[in-house]
Amino acid sequence: MSGSSDELVISFGEMLIDFVPDTSGVSLAESLGFLKAPGGAPANVACAIAKLGGNAAFIGKVGEDEFGRMLANILKNNGVNTDGVLFDKEARTALAFVTLRKDGEREFMFYRNPSADMLLTESELKMDLIKKAKIFHYGSISLITEPCRSAHMAAMKAAREAGALLSYDPNVRLPLWPSAEAARSGIKSIWLEADFIKVSDDEVEFLTQKDAQNEDVIMSLWHDKLKLLLITDGEKGCRYVTKNFKGKVSGFAVKTIDTTGAGDAFVGALLTAVARDASIFDNEAKLKEALTFSNACGAICTTQKGAIPALPTVEDAKKLISSSNAN
């Protein structure tokens, strides 16, 4: 089941392998074994959309190695269009070793010096595919180094000129940036381009260096081109701001094992809804319904290890919502 071509959501950026310890709550040094899990936020979002029956494509570069081929196959098996996936003969697919703390939160150690995703060039972009996007979604990791940064900027410009909505989830990964200051300015360098931005409460604190619970702090991130600003508050749910209204939607209580990919499941669910009906930005009831569904998708994703294997179906999300309503 896939959405029609006019609902195409393209995710741009990195896809990598996460090595997740087979035991939670231990350091990387203490961990005896690691499970290999496909990752990379933009790729997770593409898989989330496809699993919910939406129309998703991924654009990015992996190594021409066994891991890179494995990742391309995972996208295909999840129903994601891989016409924009490239293989680099020189560089390897990026790896991340992820520590799961006892509370399910994560710490990262990356192997990418340089990895294939960083070497995507503007001339390799499939512009005909990019121009078909109804929504063009990206993060900030692709902004860190050249040539990928220039490819990112060119892809964004082509998508916007072709009439796409631009969707931005910065996904702050501090160890990948030269410094915290570089991360802040790099992430903010494209802030004003986006139609839609999703940030976590932690990311709000990082970007503003102020309290994410303060409404003035949230509004300092707003700009006039935005149609929707979303702040995710973990299990508490999310807050939304549009041109005409703002509010919050509660989350769902589940047994959290691993928060990896929860934000991506949330974003994928929301972008699936927006791709089907862009009037959602102007209709608070519709938006709240979509955000409740997105919260459910994010919550379900935390109940098992890894991002892509834990992504929910529409039925999974509906089941969680109706069981919560019953209580």
Side-chain angles (χ1 to χ4, degrees), residues 10-13 57-61 84-85 120 125-126 129-130 136:
I10 295 179
S11 284
F12 174 91
F58 176 75
I59 294 178
K61 204 176 202 186
V85 175
L120 177 66
L125 291 171
K126 292 224 161 35
L129 175 62
I130 291 169
F136 186 75

Side-chain angles (χ1 to χ4, degrees), residues 208-250:
T208 62
Q209 298 172 278
K210 295 187 178 113
D211 177 13
Q213 297 312 311
N214 180 324
E215 195 162 320
D216 294 341
V217 172
I218 298 303
M219 292 316 293
S220 73
L221 295 173
W222 177 263
H223 64 78
D224 287 342
K225 249 195 226 164
L226 271 179
K227 291 180 168 62
L228 176 63
L229 172 65
L230 278 178
I231 298 88
T232 53
D233 294 302
E235 68 285 354
K236 294 201 293 285
C238 64
R239 288 170 278 166
Y240 58 87
V241 182
T242 72
K243 284 186 169 59
N244 301 314
F245 47 80
K246 54 185 177 214
K248 63 173 193 270
V249 180
S250 302

Side-chain angles (χ1 to χ4, degrees), residues 138-141 143-144 149 168-174 177 179-193 197 199 203 206-207 221:
Y138 45 86
S140 69
I141 290 172
L143 297 172
I144 301 175
R149 180 185 165 85
Y168 186 24
D169 177 357
N171 255 305
V172 177
R173 295 285 178 269
L174 264 187
W177 292 87
S179 67
E181 223 15 81
R184 260 183 221 106
S185 63
I187 286 165
K188 288 178 177 168
S189 70
I190 58 166
W191 200 260
L192 300 178
E193 303 292 323
I197 294 174
V199 274
E203 288 166 340
F206 171 72
L207 290 168
L221 295 173

